[in-house]
Each structure stands twice: as structure tokens, then as C-alpha cells.
Amino acid sequence: MSARKIIIDTDPGQDDAVAILLALASPEALDVLGITCVAGNVPLPLTERNARIICELAGKPHVKVFAGCDRPLARNLVTAEHVHGKTGLDGPVLPEPTMPLQDDHAVDFIINTLRSEPSGTVTLCPLGPLTNIATAFQRAPDIAARVAEIVLMGGAYFEVGNITPAAEFNIYVDPQAADIVFKSGAPITVMPLDVTHKALVTKERNDAFRAIGSPVGVAVAEMTEFFERFDREKYGSLGAPLHDPCVTAYLLQPDLFKGRKVNVEIETHSELTLGMTVADWWRVTDRAPNCTFMGSIDAEGFFALLTERLARL
């Protein structure tokens, strides 16, 4: 089978970086057509910088990186330096990128790619706020029907929120964009906190990254060591959850995950629950299912896959 064509839409972020590395380490399965950057964990000038740093760390400077939207559709940008550090990639010391940023805007690249590639062959992989994807759907409504699948990290149900009591960060940053995407009719698979909080980088798992011995393995270990201090303090957990690599792992090995097809609506008005993903997990409404909402992960299998693939780079 030919490699699956994907566009990674991202706001790196250490866990975004690991997700990108996992994709770049799997060229036989994933054809990364481009990486589109959005403001989220840190502002846009840092997310496009960080994406290029990661491509060069992976030895893949030919990957096309595009800068996209620098603010949410209808509200001020909320960032997460308190988790990821002032650069978004705090932890390892990595050189400034030398590969170029593409001239085209990320939204134009998404639109043009979905129109030029055969319908149903391109998968969108959003790892951050959904601003770029929603903007593309607004400007070019025809492309939603051409998307093979949207596999995204965002939202929560049983794990509720990580930036407010009710909302997960990616959805909270731009709930209006999330609302557009979830109502688009495109096939959607969601990796919520319910899954990602079970993908914990314990000391043993991080030691396995470092034991790879390569610049990639050491950098990943240093990244997770940096941001786990926040999650350990916040959750009292054994390590940091690797949120975004769940998206890439699903593309490579979907049997690591289990979930159900449900309806998810995005709260866009309430001050109390803005950005909440209202998932009808128990199917108590008559709202039609609009996504596959994952609920569990084989964490051992996930980390075995991740460690094996990172060792390729």
C-alpha cells in the first residue's frame, strides 16, 4: 500500500514535536505533504520556528513548513508558556533552523492541496487549535467533502478540562474554529484527554528514549523531562502525558485505541464552560454522531511503537 498523505497542523510544543518526529520516522506509512503552523502553545513566530527546528532535528529539511493564523477567529490568543516554556520547546538546546519557511500561507496550502490531490486521499492531523482548518473550510467550503479524515488531538469528556475546569486547551483557545470543524461533515477521529492522560512518560519510558543514544532520542528525553514537571505537580501523576503523538500513533497502529462514534458539540457561548466538548458518550440525545471519540489506549504498545520509530531517525 502507498503511504497515507497527511498534513500536520500544529503549534509546537514538546508533545507536538514528538508527534512530528513519529510521522517523519515512518515514511513508508505516512507521506507528510506539509506542516502548517498555528498560534497556540506559543505565538505563531515561535510555532513555525519550532516546526522547522524539529524537521532539521529529524534530518528532514526538505519538509515544507507554512505559517498560518496568528490568532483565533473571534477572541484573543491564549498561550501555554507555563507548560512548554517561553520558546515552546524548552528543555533541549537545539540550533536555530536554517531551512526556509514557505511563502504561501498555511490556509492557502491546505485549500490548494485538498483541491489538487484526489478527493478522499488527504488526512488532516491537527495537533493544536483548529483555526487554520476552520479558516480553510470557511474560505473554501468545497474542500471539507474532499478530506479523507481529520484525526485531531483535543477535547475531553471524563477527564473534563486542563486549561479551565470544563475545557481542554486546544479547543478552548479557539472554540469557534472547533465548532466549524465539528460541524463540517468531514470524518473526524478525536484523541481527547481521556486517552492522552493514559499515555504517561514514566521514568522508565523516558530512559528508553535517552537510551536510543541519538540526538533525536536525547532531545525527546530532555523535552519530556522539561514539561513533565508541570503535569506531575498538577495531576500527581507518574509522568507527563504525551498528547499529540497519539494522533500519529493512531495513523500508524489504530488498534492501539478504542472509542465509539458519538456526537460532540462545542460550547461557544458560556463564560463558565467555554470550549467544552459536550460528548454524548452515553447516547442520551438524538443528535447524530459526528466523530469517533477515543476512550482508551494500549499505553505499552504506544510507547513501544514510539521508541522503535524514534530510533530510526
Side-chain angles (χ1 to χ4, degrees):
M1 290 180 63
S2 58
R4 184 172 186 170
K5 298 174 183 178
I6 67 171
I7 296 173
I8 300 174
D9 189 71
T10 181
D11 61 337
Q14 291 93 345
D15 58 322
D16 304 70
V18 180
I20 294 167
L21 290 169
L22 180 56
L24 296 179
S26 308
E28 75 290 345
L30 300 176
D31 179 7
V32 181
L33 301 179
I35 296 175
T36 53
C37 300
V38 68
N41 285 323
V42 288
L44 182 66
L46 289 174
T47 64
E48 55 92 346
R49 164 192 177 267
N50 293 348
R52 289 182 292 139
I53 287 173
I54 294 307
C55 290
E56 291 187 355
L57 175 65
K60 310 284 187 179
H62 62 279
V63 176
K64 295 179 180 179
V65 177
F66 302 82
C69 298
D70 64 356
R71 60 177 61 85
L73 295 181
R75 59 196 303 258
N76 293 329
L77 177 64
V78 175
T79 55
E81 287 91 348
H82 62 290
V83 179
H84 299 280
K86 68 182 187 306
T87 70
L89 282 185
D90 282 20
V93 177
L94 297 171
E96 289 296 315
T98 59
M99 62 183 280
L101 186 68
Q102 299 297 308
D103 292 333
D104 291 346
H105 192 281
V107 171
D108 294 327
F109 172 73
I110 292 168
I111 293 171
N112 292 337
T113 302
L114 285 168
R115 283 177 170 169
S116 62
E117 294 288 343
S119 183
T121 63
V122 177
T123 296
L124 302 179
C125 303
L127 310 178
L130 291 162
T131 315
N132 284 342
I133 309 300
T135 302
F137 286 178
Q138 284 184 315
R139 292 185 188 172
D142 59 291
I143 64 173
R146 301 181 64 84
V147 175
E149 186 177 10
I150 299 172
V151 183
L152 67 90
M153 189 277 133
Y157 180 67
F158 295 100
E159 288 286 315
V160 291
N162 66 350
I163 188 67
T164 75
E168 179 274 330
F169 177 81
N170 286 344
I171 305 299
Y172 178 77
V173 170
D174 199 341
Q176 285 76 22
D179 187 51
I180 289 168
V181 171
F182 275 81
K183 289 178 177 174
S184 69
I188 300 174
T189 297
V190 181
M191 296 293 160
L193 298 182
D194 307 284
V195 164
T196 67
H197 279 180
K198 297 167 186 168
L200 297 178
V201 186
T202 61
K203 182 181 184 304
E204 292 75 17
R205 290 165 177 167
N206 213 40
D207 287 346
F209 294 152
R210 181 173 278 102
I212 293 171
S214 66
V216 167
V218 173
V220 168
E222 291 175 346
M223 286 182 205
T224 56
E225 283 175 345
F226 177 85
F227 78 89
E228 77 173 359
R229 89 225 180 281
F230 175 81
D231 293 291
R232 283 178 182 267
E233 181 178 336
K234 181 176 181 179
Y235 299 113
S237 60
L238 294 175
L242 272 184
H243 304 286
D244 295 328
C246 291
V247 168
T248 318
Y250 172 78
L251 299 177
L252 296 171
Q253 203 169 326
D255 58 347
L256 293 174
F257 302 88
K258 292 182 180 178
R260 59 174 68 174
K261 199 163 179 60
V262 302
N263 178 272
V264 171
E265 300 290 331
I266 310 298
E267 178 55 60
T268 59
H269 298 291
S270 168
E271 291 184 12
L272 184 65
T273 58
L274 183 68
M276 184 177 184
T277 45
V278 184
D280 187 10
W281 185 260
W282 303 117
R283 302 186 180 105
V284 296
T285 75
D286 59 1
R287 295 195 295 266
N290 60 353
C291 69
T292 300
F293 202 80
M294 292 301 176
S296 63
I297 179 176
D298 173 359
E300 291 300 323
F302 169 78
F303 279 97
L305 171 67
L306 185 53
T307 305
E308 181 267 319
R309 294 301 168 94
L310 292 179
R312 296 180 173 186
L313 295 173

